Structures are given as C-alpha cells and as structure tokens.
Amino acid sequence: MKLKPLADRVVLKLVEAEEKTKSGIILTGSAKEKPEVAEVIEVGPGGLVDGKEVTMTVKVGDKVITSKYSGTEVKIDGEEYTIVRQSDILAIVE
Amino acid sequence: MKLKPLADRVVLKLVEAEEKTKSGIILTGSAKEKPEVAEVIEVGPGGLVDGKEVTMTVKVGDKVITSKYSGTEVKIDGEEYTIVRQSDILAIVE
Amino acid sequence: MKLKPLADRVVLKLVEAEEKTKSGIILTGSAKEKPEVAEVIEVGPGGLVDGKEVTMTVKVGDKVITSKYSGTEVKIDGEEYTIVRQSDILAIVE
Amino acid sequence: MKLKPLADRVVLKLVEAEEKTKSGIILTGSAKEKPEVAEVIEVGPGGLVDGKEVTMTVKVGDKVITSKYSGTEVKIDGEEYTIVRQSDILAIVE
Amino acid sequence: MKLKPLADRVVLKLVEAEEKTKSGIILTGSAKEKPEVAEVIEVGPGGLVDGKEVTMTVKVGDKVITSKYSGTEVKIDGEEYTIVRQSDILAIVE
Amino acid sequence: MKLKPLADRVVLKLVEAEEKTKSGIILTGSAKEKPEVAEVIEVGPGGLVDGKEVTMTVKVGDKVITSKYSGTEVKIDGEEYTIVRQSDILAIVE
Amino acid sequence: MKLKPLADRVVLKLVEAEEKTKSGIILTGSAKEKPEVAEVIEVGPGGLVDGKEVTMTVKVGDKVITSKYSGTEVKIDGEEYTIVRQSDILAIVE
C-alpha cells in the first residue's frame, strides 16, 4: 500500500525521537508552529497549484524541517505519515 | 439518480470502517482536519475555476485521502456522498 | 414579475420536501453548510466577475445541490426564491 | 443637490413598503444579509476598480434586489439613499 | 504648512455641522460605517498602488461622502483633517 | 552604525513632541491607528515587493505622517527608530 | 550538520545579548512584533515563491533586524537557529 500525493503535496515520516537525540537535533517549538524533522517518503508532481506553477525541489530521502501547521496525519499498515504542502517545508537538514 | 459535480468538484463515497480495518488503514485525525479514505464516484470537468485553469487528476474508482474541512454531505437513494474540491484531496492510496 | 440575476448569479427555487421524499433524496446537513436541492429558475449572463471570466454552466430547469452559505432569500408573488453565485452550486442531480 | 457615485458605486432609493405590498413582493431576510428592493437613482462610471475592469450593467430606473451588507445610508434634502457597489446588487426585478 | 498625500490618498476637511443643516444634508450612520460630507483639500498623485494603476478622479474643492472606516485624523495649525484612500470616497455631492 | 532597510521599507525617527508644539502640529489619534509625524532617515531600494513593482517616493529628510499600525521600533546607539513600509506613510508634511 | 533553507527562507542565528550591549543596540519590542538582531547563516535560493519571483538580497554574514512573527526556532548540535522568510527581514545593520 502506497500514498501518491497530489499537486504540491509531500508525504513525510517523522524521524524517531531516539534518532533525533543521536544526531544532536533538539527542536524547540513555539506555541504557533511545532517544527519537526521528517524524512520525505513521497513527492507530488507539482505543476499548476492554485493557478501558480510549482516545481518540486525536495526529493525522496531528504530529511526536512517543517512547520506542522497544515499537515494531516495518516496511519497506513501501522506506520504514521504526515502529508504537507512543499511550501510548509522550511529547510533540508544535511 | 446521479450527481454531476461542477467545476473542480469531486463526489466521494467513504470507504466503510470494516474495509479500512481489513486493509490496515487506520486514520488518526487532528482537531483541525479529519482525514478520511474515500472512493471517487464522480469527477467534475475542471476548467476555469475562480479564474484559474484546473486540470482534474483524480479519476473514478481512485481511493483518496481528503481533509473533510470544506466537504458537503449528501444522501441520495439511501447512500451518503461527500462533495469536495479536488484541491481538498491530499493523496491517492494505491 | 421576474428576477434577472446579475453577473454569475443564479435564481433557485427549493424543491419541496415531499418531492424530495418521493425521489429518495434526503439531505444531511453539517453545521457549517446546509445543502439543498433546488431547481434553477433564472441564470445570470456570466462574463467578467471580480476581474475573472465566468461561463455559466447551469441552465434553467437543472436540479442542483448548493451550499446555502451565501445565498439570499427573496419572496415574489408568494413564491420563495434563493439567489446564489454559480460557484455555490456543487453538483447537478440527474 | 445630487450624488455622483464614484467607480462601481450605485445610488439606490428603497422602494416604499406600501409599494412592495401592492406588487406582491415580500422579502424574507436571513440573519446574515438583509435583501431589499430599491430603485437605481445614480450609476457610477465603472472602469478600473481595484485594478479590475468593471462595466456597469444596471441603469437609472432599474428596480434591484441588493444585499444591504456593505451599503452606506445618506439623507439628502430629506430623502434617504443607499450607496452600494454594483457587485452588491443580486438581481433586477422586472 | 501643507499635507502632500502619497499614492491614492486624499486629504479631506469635514464640512461643518452648521453648513450641513443649511444645505439640508443630514447623514444617518449605521453602526459599521459612519458616512461624512467633507471637502477635498489635497489629492495624491495616484499611479501604481499595491501593484494596481489608480487614476485620481476627485479634485480639490469637491464635496464628497466617505465611509470613515480607514481614515486617519490629523490636526495641523489648529485645523483638523482626515486622510483617506480615494477608494474610501463613495460619491461626490453636487 | 546604520540601518539599511530592505525592499519598500523606510527608517523613520519621530519628531520630538516639543518640536511638534512649536510647528503647531497636534495629532489626534483614533483607537485604530495612531498617526505620528516622523523624519525619514533611510529609504529602502524598492523594486519587486510581494511580486509588485514598488517605486520609492519619499526621500531622506522628508517629514511624514504615518499610521503606526505595522511599524517596528528599534533603538540603536541610544536613538529610537521606527521601520515601516512606504505604504504605511500617509502624507508628506511641507 | 547543516540547514539548507528552501525558497525565500533564511536561517538566522541570534546575536548574543552581551554583544548587543557592547554595540549599543537595545531593542524595544511592541506587543505585536518582537524585533531581534540576528546574523544570516544560510540563504535559500529564492526563485518562484507562491507564484512570484523572489531575488535574495541578504547574504551570509549580514546582521539583520527581523520581526520574529513567523519564524520557527530549531536547535542543531546545541546551537539555536531561527528560520524566517526574507520578507520578514526589515533591515540590515551596518
């Protein structure tokens, strides 16, 4: 079973808390936006979104920081995923 | 009796809870957006919507995940349907 | 006496509850949007609406489902009508 | 003394309640928008309004139904008028 | 001392209440927008405002009716003025 | 130390209250917008701002009236400054 | 480990309070926007953002004043960073 995101959407899988501690990444969230480190699992095709051309710049496997504000959580085969728009991704962690 | 959606609208029928359990899909909803798995029953023609060209990318029979936020529920001949805009569809489940 | 809607507006007449029961259409309304089945009585000319070209796709006699959100009710010669924008019409019932 | 509306504005004069009863028009107002039958007294020149080309389609003498939502009431020489944008006019009553 | 309004702004001076009574203009204000009769004292140059071309159509000396909603009051050399955008001017009184 | 504003931003320094009294300028502020007389200290380059071309029309040394609504106050080397967008400047005082 | 911001985003590192005192910069924050002096650590590529061309004008090493309104705080390898859009940067401090 697989999620194919539409338009400028991206399927993310949160990096586990253990892994976060190992890599030294600790996130401090404000009340407004809860940032999270997540791995890109699937990337939508981009194209015309709300009348504006969107080019997808993240790719599968990227570790990204997002603001969780407009994401939707889905659980498939026991795994939890988050679907966000690419514009909700703030930065790639290298 | 049949629903023909206008513009970028799509008629969906929720996949039953039983079926969801069988396929291993369990949805966790946030307070803001209640995601749902649904089957596409009818697809609008797309075209100019609010002055912007929209191409329909979902097709009848697709299983999709939506945010229920702006959908409208209708019951016809004893069956319940939901009408959403295509932009409210987050991903196709394969 | 006759209503000639301007721009992208459409004059609707609600289909009576009796008729709804006969045809098997029962509407379940959410708190946010109250869907209704109505017949199209008059159709505006379309054209430039808020700077965007609108083509009218519904025609007189269509049975439609609308979200009542932005409609305005008017009573003329003892008959009640609702005036909506075409974009408030979700689907045509066939 | 005369009001010359700017841009896409229209000066209206409410049709008296007596006249409304005679013609058989009774308006039922929702909480959100109070519809009214009014006569067009003056019409603005249209043209570029908020960067969008507006063509005036109502003319002096038209009986119109408006949503009173954004109108402004003015009393000149003892007569009350309402100034609305043309887009606040829903339909012409013929 | 003189005010030179920028962009699509206009400097107005309220017509005194006495004068209003003489000319027979009495304004009835709704809770939302307080209409006022004022004289145009200075007119901005217009041009590109928020990316849209604006042509100034009022001129110094015009008596205008405004909605006071977004105006700013200033007192210079003992005289009170109001600065509004031209789009806040509803009509010219002739 | 010097502030170089970006895009359509302007650095202002409030004209002291004493000076205001001398020149006869007294400002009456509404609850919504507190107007202020200030001197232009630095002017941003203008150009494409939020996708729209902005030409800077104020210059260093201009005395301006602003609505303080979206300004940000900064203190550098003991002097207080306010940074606003040019569109927040209502008029130049001459 | 390194943050690569997307689109028009910029990674900032707050200048320490001690340094601020030394340089004589003291910031007074309003309730709405808390201005901060920060150093630019990483700059996104710019390009089409929400359908509008954005050119990045800040560069790594710039000291900038921002409104913290829409920033997201991240801690990597024990260092705290803030990710903002370039349009949230008010001025460069020289």
Side-chain angles (χ1 to χ4, degrees), chain F residues 1-7 9 11 48-52 69-81 83 85, chain G residues 23-30 32-35 52-53 57-58 64-67 86-94:
Chain F
M1 187 160 298
K2 197 171 158 184
L3 285 171
K4 280 185 55 179
L6 294 191
R9 290 195 176 82
V11 179
L48 269 190
V49 178
D50 200 29
K52 294 159 193 158
Y69 187 63
S70 60
T72 303
E73 294 170 18
V74 183
K75 193 186 264 191
I76 294 194
D77 301 335
E79 297 278 351
E80 274 186 34
Y81 299 96
I83 303 175
R85 315 197 85 130
Chain G
S23 67
I25 301 170
I26 302 152
L27 297 167
T28 64
S30 70
K32 249 183 220 117
E33 307 191 48
K34 290 172 285 177
K52 294 159 194 159
E53 186 66 33
T57 54
V58 295
V64 297
I65 288 178
T66 67
S67 117
Q86 180 175 261
S87 57
D88 293 322
I89 298 178
L90 305 175
I92 298 174
V93 184
E94 296 197 330

Side-chain angles (χ1 to χ4, degrees), chain B residues 1-7 9 11 48 50-52 69-78 80 83 85, chain C residues 23-30 32-33 35 52-53 57-58 65 67 86-94:
Chain B
M1 186 158 299
K2 197 170 154 184
L3 285 170
K4 280 185 55 178
L6 294 190
R9 290 195 177 82
V11 179
L48 268 190
D50 199 29
K52 294 161 193 158
Y69 186 62
S70 61
T72 302
E73 295 170 18
V74 183
K75 191 186 263 192
I76 294 193
D77 300 335
E80 273 186 35
I83 303 175
R85 316 197 84 130
Chain C
S23 67
I25 301 171
I26 302 152
L27 296 168
T28 63
S30 69
K32 250 184 218 114
E33 307 191 49
K52 295 161 193 158
E53 186 66 32
T57 55
V58 296
I65 288 178
S67 118
Q86 179 175 262
S87 57
D88 292 324
I89 298 179
L90 305 175
I92 297 174
V93 183
E94 296 198 330

Side-chain angles (χ1 to χ4, degrees), chain D residues 18-90:
Chain D
E18 288 78 11
E19 185 176 342
K20 276 191 255 181
T21 310
K22 229 182 293 176
S23 67
I25 300 171
I26 302 151
L27 296 167
T28 63
S30 70
K32 250 183 218 116
E33 307 191 49
K34 288 172 285 177
E36 310 207 328
V37 171
E39 187 176 338
V40 175
I41 301 300
E42 299 283 348
V43 178
L48 268 189
V49 178
D50 201 28
K52 295 162 193 157
E53 186 65 33
V54 174
T55 305
M56 302 310 281
T57 56
V58 296
K59 55 186 193 304
V60 173
D62 281 350
K63 296 280 173 58
V64 297
I65 288 178
T66 66
S67 118
K68 205 182 159 184
Y69 187 64
S70 61
T72 302
E73 294 170 18
V74 183
K75 193 185 263 190
I76 294 194
D77 300 337
E79 298 276 352
E80 274 186 34
Y81 300 97
T82 306
I83 303 174
V84 301
R85 315 197 85 129
Q86 180 175 261
S87 57
D88 293 323
I89 298 178
L90 306 174

